[in-house]
Amino acid sequence: MRNVMSSAFHPLRPHRITRSSRQVRGKRTAWALIVFGIVLACVELYIVYSAL
């Protein structure tokens, strides 16, 4: 009986992995937005200084 119960709880483990992957995906998205903002700021500064 215990083996049947433990095998029934195994499908719940991948759900925990998907939660952690969501956190990793959110961190990747945040870093991508930060890098995009920095690149955009550099491009804007380049345009402003080239216009002077």
Side-chain angles (χ1 to χ4, degrees):
M1 293 296 281
R2 289 182 182 176
N3 291 336
V4 173
M5 291 296 289
S6 64
S7 66
F9 285 111
H10 280 291
L12 295 177
R13 287 185 179 176
H15 188 65
R16 291 181 182 175
I17 295 172
T18 56
R19 283 182 183 174
S20 63
S21 68
R22 284 182 185 175
Q23 292 175 353
V24 171
R25 190 181 304 161
K27 288 181 181 178
R28 286 181 186 170
T29 305
W31 277 109
L33 288 173
I34 290 169
V35 170
F36 178 74
I38 291 172
V39 170
L40 188 64
C42 291
V43 170
E44 289 183 8
L45 287 174
Y46 176 77
I47 292 171
V48 167
Y49 281 120
S50 65
L52 292 178

